[in-house]
Amino acid sequence: RLTRSNTYSKARDRMTRSLILKALDKNEWNIMRSAKYLGINRTYIYKLMKRYGIERSLNGSQEDGDGFP
């Protein structure tokens, strides 16, 4: 069942995931620079990447799981 808070949560998750991906792309997937760019701790960006299924493939491009429940 879709509730207002559920809809908000999904929209927030999509926005957060998008911001992380844009920061990583802008900073050539350098985690430290991306975290600094976002104003968050390096360990927290790793936690967010895991939560949203974001990982870097061997060829340097983005590989991700579905990232959303």
Side-chain angles (χ1 to χ4, degrees), residues 9-10 12-18 20-21 24 40 43-55 63-69:
S9 179
K10 286 184 179 202
R12 184 194 62 221
D13 287 348
R14 280 192 300 272
M15 183 185 72
T16 301
R17 187 172 191 278
S18 178
I20 293 167
L21 288 169
L24 288 165
I40 61 176
T43 56
Y44 189 56
I45 198 171
Y46 279 113
K47 181 179 179 179
L48 291 172
M49 288 172 67
K50 183 175 181 177
R51 178 184 299 165
Y52 297 115
I54 300 169
E55 51 187 47
E63 226 178 69
D64 60 320
D66 71 345
F68 298 102

Side-chain angles (χ1 to χ4, degrees), residues 16-34:
T16 301
R17 187 172 191 278
S18 178
L19 287 171
I20 293 167
L21 288 169
K22 286 178 184 177
L24 288 165
D25 187 51
K26 179 178 176 61
N27 291 289
E28 300 174 347
W29 283 79
N30 181 296
I31 301 295
M32 185 61 126
R33 286 195 319 246
S34 297

